[in-house]
Amino acid sequence: EAKRDGRNTLRFFHNNMESDVTYRMALEMELRESLGKSEFVLHYQPQVDGSGTVVGVEALLRWNHIKRGIVGPAVFVPIAEASGLIVQLGSWVIRSACQQLAEWAAVPEMAHLTLAVNVSARQFRQQDFVSETLATIAETGARPDRLKLELTETLLIENVEDTIGKMRQLKQSGISFALDDFGTGYSSLSYLKLLPLDQLKIDRSFVRDVLVDPNDASIARSIVALGQALGLAIIAEGVETEAQRAFLAELGCECCQGYLFGRPMEVHLLEAMIRDMHSA
Ligand code: C2E
Ligand code: MG
Ligand code: MG
Ligand code: MG
């Protein structure tokens, strides 16, 4: 009995792996084809300050797949990273974000917003990342001081000198930097001190149970203290309830991003939301 179960389990697992590999290969092929077409779109999620005012937005990539519908980045970004396609895709993201910033510059209620863009380690590692980004800013007419790049801790542990050098060059033009998903990686605090960061983002995984899990509350409190000690702004991601918002504010983290304030949304919905807030 046990033997048969074991064999069945094994075969099931094997089939599963096979279909997973097939699926990933299909997606990679389709990703490659989609890069030339306009199947990608940026959605925007509001970031609010302590008074609830929208001070910025994060651009979150969506793949509007002809057959599969909207595919989220959790599915295709890892595939794009593994295959190297993230470099081209990431360039498209920065260009689109800069075009959006340039458009918003002419809209009074949008002009003050910072736009945060996720940059993958592989993309940031490209030798021409700085020159290409600065060229895109110049070509689109975006204000560099409205652009914020979100990096993850992977960049802190490998080739720190290269990272610092690139950050410094980009900061000289006014671009700012946030460290995304903070607390989930393996970054050393001594590196954190060296990097010219502007903001730490408390990862959603600590925010979720911050009211019920004392460990998560302690971690959130420590991140706030660390940010304050290093002179960095703090924002919490994944804030879904008013109670979480109030608790985080109590800890000293007033800026929030999460479903409580708005999901990632199409640009016209974001613009309508902010227009409504202004006329209210
Ligand atoms: P991230 O940068 O940490 O983005 C935050 C993620 O949390 C987003 O998922 C967002 O939709 C989700 N989120 C925001 N508020 C809440 C909330 O209150 N509750 C819950 N449950 N979730 C919330 P999304 O859009 O699926 O993106 C996942 C990840 O994909 C991002 O995590 C980022 O690492 C990556 N990604 C997204 N766009 C890009 C991109 O343009 N380039 C690169 N390299 N990576 C991207
Ligand atoms: Mg992010
Ligand atoms: Mg994040
Ligand atoms: Mg996260």
Side-chain angles (χ1 to χ4, degrees):
E1 275 296 284
K3 204 173 172 186
R4 201 170 70 208
D5 278 346
R7 212 167 49 215
N8 285 341
T9 308
L10 191 68
R11 193 182 315 141
F12 176 69
F13 182 50
H14 182 70
N15 285 344
N16 226 3
M17 280 195 342
E18 235 170 32
S19 64
D20 186 53
V21 170
T22 311
Y23 175 66
R24 286 176 58 97
M25 280 172 58
L27 271 189
E28 185 186 326
M29 215 179 69
E30 290 164 14
L31 257 183
R32 215 176 279 280
E33 289 167 359
S34 300
L35 278 172
K37 310 176 196 159
S38 45
E39 288 183 15
F40 293 95
V41 64
L42 293 180
H43 282 191
Y44 299 90
Q45 185 177 34
Q47 301 179 324
V48 305
D49 68 11
S51 72
T53 305
V54 180
V55 290
V57 292
E58 179 175 5
L60 292 156
L61 185 57
R62 301 290 180 262
W63 183 7
N64 208 340
H65 194 288
I66 300 177
K67 285 175 296 179
R68 301 181 199 268
I70 297 253
V71 185
V75 173
F76 67 85
V77 164
I79 296 174
E81 275 169 354
S83 60
L85 291 170
I86 194 69
V87 174
Q88 212 183 323
L89 190 55
S91 296
W92 180 88
V93 169
I94 292 183
R95 177 163 296 272
S96 301
C98 287
Q99 283 165 346
Q100 192 58 70
L101 273 177
E103 262 181 53
W104 285 342
V107 183
E109 65 267 28
M110 306 300 286
H112 67 286
L113 298 176
T114 59
L115 176 49
V117 174
N118 294 283
V119 177
S120 93
R122 189 149 177 186
Q123 181 188 358
F124 195 77
R125 282 281 163 261
Q126 296 298 301
Q127 234 198 322
D128 61 355
F129 181 79
V130 171
S131 57
E132 190 189 298
T133 301
L134 295 178
T136 301
I137 286 173
E139 285 161 25
T140 55
R143 277 187 59 165
D145 61 348
R146 296 295 185 266
L147 183 63
K148 183 181 283 180
L149 300 182
E150 295 198 356
L151 308 178
T152 53
E153 287 173 85
T154 321
L155 277 167
L156 275 69
I157 49 175
E158 49 179 49
N159 206 347
V160 194
E161 297 76 26
D162 177 66
T163 302
I164 295 175
K166 284 176 171 153
M167 288 175 75
R168 286 222 177 103
Q169 288 180 64
L170 291 163
K171 278 182 76 79
Q172 263 170 16
S173 73
I175 294 171
S176 60
F177 285 91
L179 190 55
D180 206 354
D181 305 337
F182 186 67
T184 59
Y186 302 93
S187 56
S188 123
L189 296 181
S190 56
Y191 288 159
L192 193 60
K193 178 185 75 173
L194 295 174
L195 291 168
L197 286 163
D198 301 281
Q199 188 180 51
L200 293 181
K201 294 191 83 171
I202 303 177
D203 190 65
R204 179 151 58 92
S205 61
F206 306 122
V207 171
R208 191 181 53 223
D209 296 326
V210 79
L211 296 169
V212 289
D213 185 336
N215 291 328
D216 285 337
S218 299
I219 291 170
R221 186 177 291 111
S222 306
I223 294 175
V224 173
L226 183 64
Q228 285 169 347
L230 295 174
L232 304 175
I234 318 279
I235 184 167
E237 60 177 23
V239 179
E240 295 185 358
T241 68
E242 172 54 31
Q244 288 169 339
R245 188 210 59 78
F247 188 87
L248 288 158
E250 193 74 18
L251 293 184
C253 176
E254 303 226 307
C255 283
C256 292
Q257 178 181 344
Y259 295 170
L260 177 64
F261 309 99
R263 294 192 173 236
M265 58 189 105
E266 291 174 45
V267 65
H268 70 276
L269 292 175
L270 176 83
E271 289 169 348
M273 176 185 161
I274 292 177
R275 222 178 297 125
D276 285 353
M277 285 176 137
H278 274 258
S279 56

